[in-house]
Amino acid sequence: MRLACLAVAFSACTASSAAPAPELAPAAPQQFSEKRNEPVAESDASALQHATRIVFVEDDFPGALELARRQGKALFVDAWAEWCHTCLSMQSYVFSDRSLAPLAERVVFASLDTDRDESAAFLARYAVDAWPTFFMLDPGTGRVLAQWQGAASTAEMRAFIAESLAALDAIRVQKLPTSSPLSLLMAAHERHAASDFRAAAAAYAQALRAAPDDWPRRSEALYGRLQALGQSGQYDECARFGIEHAERVSGAVTPSDFARTLQRCSDNVASPELRRAARRAALTRLRRIVEAPPPEMSVDDRADALEGYAEALIAEGDRNSARTVEQQRLRLMEEAAESATSPQMAQTYDYGRARAYVALGRAGEAVRLLEGRMRQLPDSYEPPARLASVLAQIGRHKEALTAVERALQLSYGPRKLQYLALKARILEALGDRAAAIAALEQEVQGYEALPPGHANPRRVDDARKRLAAARRAKPR
């Protein structure tokens, strides 16, 4: 789900009837292989045209942008991360779908691991606050045609891309009035991508006011406004807006994500009456979703809806029911992992399964799961990082230190700095204050050295405060 991968706690479309611009159809096939950034021989071009799945240009935004410009295509960007289970689910269960492959005739597909150095320049212009975030861009101007945060069904992804292509066609033939709902929605996405959340919230509201009730992109705009209200700290308005529209959002995943964002906003509402009303609205919506999930909803998204429902029950004081829901969620993920055809596909569920095992008092099973995944995926930082966290939670700190050291060897970018913070907590628990301070110093230095796009003032400020507190603390 989207919220599990949100850095700030705070779309359903149908294809437009607009005809493609004559100069765009059909375009040449994408000239990259499935291997990272390896050009395809000209003799293989016809094979790519009939590829059974999307081929992505990996971690090379400038190259993908130039390719899209040269071929007269739109540019799709998947901003993802290895630690994001929703990202893994989308890659394994949506982008592998054969029905998406023909879109390569009009779209260049790029994927960017947001923690890698190569992604920093992209992130300096296009902010990513939730993982994954998908962008459709006009390669001529870099303008955001559309933005989608989090999971989507295959049908929703096809419609998202089709709507974006219709918008690009209208722009290219200069038939998109600035006062149209689509223009206003694109302006809202531009502001959202620039982290101007207050302006984005206002722009989404403009788009909604200008649109007819049956506008196919209404749910996309409703969810965008709710997110922007929460991200800009307008929690009361977020709660009121969410209560008003929780039953009006449609789609495979958006209703669940809308309810969970409303739930998160309610945690920051001062008024007890408004907070209770927002929580009830979120609980009611989530209950109906988990009782009758849309058939196109993935297992990962169903599990996240169940997690949100359990959280809502706990907020209402019903811990027994929440535990039953958590057990149901765990069984769902275990069955999906058992039927997965590769360790990478099964890894989609490791985060949720490990958390559920710990919550249910079965931490030993989480340890065995993650140790096994480390053996299967020795080059991935994700299993040892999750293992270190679980071991630390259950007091096995020496083993946790070994696991986090392994994660640090394999990780990179901003994510690595979070593992330094985990290492410091483990060392503090082991009584090694000097080593904990050294880890915190390394974390602060790392944040201070990050380039624009990766730099995060909030995180560096937090790291500095933790370092100062550690230095002031008296030795045990």
Side-chain angles (χ1 to χ4, degrees), residues 168-191:
L168 182 59
D169 292 340
I171 290 170
R172 286 176 170 172
V173 297
Q174 299 180 337
K175 290 184 178 180
L176 190 63
T178 56
S179 60
S180 69
L182 182 54
S183 285
L184 294 169
L185 180 60
M186 285 168 35
H189 284 321
E190 284 273 10
R191 292 179 173 88

Side-chain angles (χ1 to χ4, degrees), residues 279-293:
R279 286 178 174 173
R280 280 196 300 271
L283 177 65
T284 300
R285 191 69 167 111
L286 287 165
R287 178 186 291 118
R288 286 214 312 279
I289 292 168
V290 302
E291 289 176 349

Side-chain angles (χ1 to χ4, degrees), residues 211-224:
D213 290 342
D214 61 351
W215 187 37
R217 300 185 72 168
R218 179 167 289 277
S219 290
E220 177 186 346
L222 287 170
Y223 184 58

Side-chain angles (χ1 to χ4, degrees), residues 436-438 440-441 444 462-472:
I437 289 173
L440 291 171
E441 289 172 340
V444 169
D462 175 67
R464 287 169 179 160
K465 288 178 180 177
R466 286 185 282 105
L467 175 58
R471 285 170 171 167
R472 288 194 305 267

Side-chain angles (χ1 to χ4, degrees), residues 23-75:
E23 70 272 22
L24 287 180
Q30 188 170 325
Q31 298 295 305
F32 278 77
S33 75
E34 293 187 14
K35 295 182 180 179
R36 186 182 303 266
N37 303 328
E38 182 179 324
V40 173
E42 292 296 325
S43 59
D44 294 334
S46 60
L48 268 182
Q49 191 171 13
H50 303 289
T52 58
R53 61 180 295 167
I54 293 171
V55 178
F56 284 82
V57 178
E58 297 184 7
D59 298 318
D60 183 10
F61 177 67
L65 189 65
E66 176 56 31
L67 185 64
R69 287 172 178 160
R70 190 169 68 247
Q71 296 186 347
K73 298 182 180 182
L75 178 59

Side-chain angles (χ1 to χ4, degrees), residues 26-361:
Q30 188 170 325
Q31 298 295 305
F32 278 77
S33 75
E34 293 187 14
K35 295 182 180 179
R36 186 182 303 266
N37 303 328
E38 182 179 324
V40 173
E42 292 296 325
S43 59
D44 294 334
S46 60
L48 268 182
Q49 191 171 13
H50 303 289
T52 58
R53 61 180 295 167
I54 293 171
V55 178
F56 284 82
V57 178
E58 297 184 7
D59 298 318
D60 183 10
F61 177 67
L65 189 65
E66 176 56 31
L67 185 64
R69 287 172 178 160
R70 190 169 68 247
Q71 296 186 347
K73 298 182 180 182
L75 178 59
F76 176 97
V77 178
D78 171 11
W80 72 289
E82 186 176 337
W83 49 265
C84 164
H85 66 89
T86 306
C87 305
L88 302 181
S89 178
M90 289 295 295
Q91 291 170 4
S92 294
Y93 296 98
V94 174
F95 293 130
S96 61
D97 193 290
R98 294 186 178 193
S99 69
L100 296 178
L103 293 169
E105 291 188 354
R106 296 201 63 207
V107 181
V108 168
F109 289 88
S111 66
L112 298 178
D113 181 340
T114 58
D115 285 309
R116 292 195 178 279
D117 292 344
E118 299 93 326
S119 300
F122 173 86
L123 296 172
R125 177 169 181 181
Y126 305 99
V128 174
D129 300 293
W131 283 259
T133 294
F134 306 109
F135 296 92
M136 281 291 291
L137 304 178
D138 177 348
T141 64
R143 184 180 183 184
V144 178
L145 300 169
Q147 174 182 313
W148 183 292
Q149 293 186 330
S153 68
T154 302
E156 286 175 326
M157 186 54 62
R158 279 198 307 269
F160 168 72
I161 294 172
E163 286 284 353
S164 303
L165 289 171
L168 182 59
D169 292 340
I171 290 170
R172 286 176 170 172
V173 297
Q174 299 180 337
K175 290 184 178 180
L176 190 63
T178 56
S179 60
S180 69
L182 182 54
S183 285
L184 294 169
L185 180 60
M186 285 168 35
H189 284 321
E190 284 273 10
R191 292 179 173 88
H192 214 149
S195 294
D196 190 353
F197 301 124
R198 188 170 290 270
Y204 285 122
Q206 280 186 296
L208 289 163
R209 286 194 297 269
D213 290 342
D214 61 351
W215 187 37
R217 300 185 72 168
R218 179 167 289 277
S219 290
E220 177 186 346
L222 287 170
Y223 184 58
R225 176 164 166 76
L226 188 77
Q227 286 180 303
L229 287 169
Q231 289 167 318
S232 60
Q234 300 177 78
Y235 302 122
D236 287 2
E237 181 60 23
C238 178
R240 285 189 286 267
F241 183 81
I243 292 167
E244 180 182 358
H245 296 286
E247 300 299 328
R248 303 178 185 179
V249 178
S250 62
V253 187
T254 302
S256 171
D257 290 340
F258 190 97
R260 297 201 68 185
T261 300
L262 171 58
Q263 194 174 18
R264 302 292 167 88
C265 281
S266 72
D267 293 339
N268 295 276
V269 169
S271 165
E273 294 79 10
L274 181 58
R275 184 166 61 251
R276 281 195 296 271
R279 286 178 174 173
R280 280 196 300 271
L283 177 65
T284 300
R285 191 69 167 111
L286 287 165
R287 178 186 291 118
R288 286 214 312 279
I289 292 168
V290 302
E291 289 176 349
E296 65 273 24
M297 201 175 193
S298 73
V299 170
D300 186 58
D301 294 319
R302 288 172 60 194
D304 287 330
L306 286 164
E307 181 181 45
Y309 184 40
E311 291 171 351
L313 288 168
I314 290 172
E316 292 291 307
D318 190 353
R319 292 188 173 275
N320 288 335
S321 295
R323 183 177 179 85
T324 300
V325 171
E326 190 67 21
Q327 291 169 333
Q328 178 186 350
R329 174 173 171 262
L330 178 57
R331 286 194 298 272
L332 182 70
M333 292 186 290
E334 286 177 329
E335 291 170 1
E338 180 67 25
S339 63
T341 57
S342 69
Q344 290 84 357
M345 185 178 285
Q347 189 183 22
T348 300
Y349 309 103
D350 288 357
Y351 168 79
R353 291 173 67 192
R355 289 190 65 188
Y357 285 135
V358 173
L360 294 169

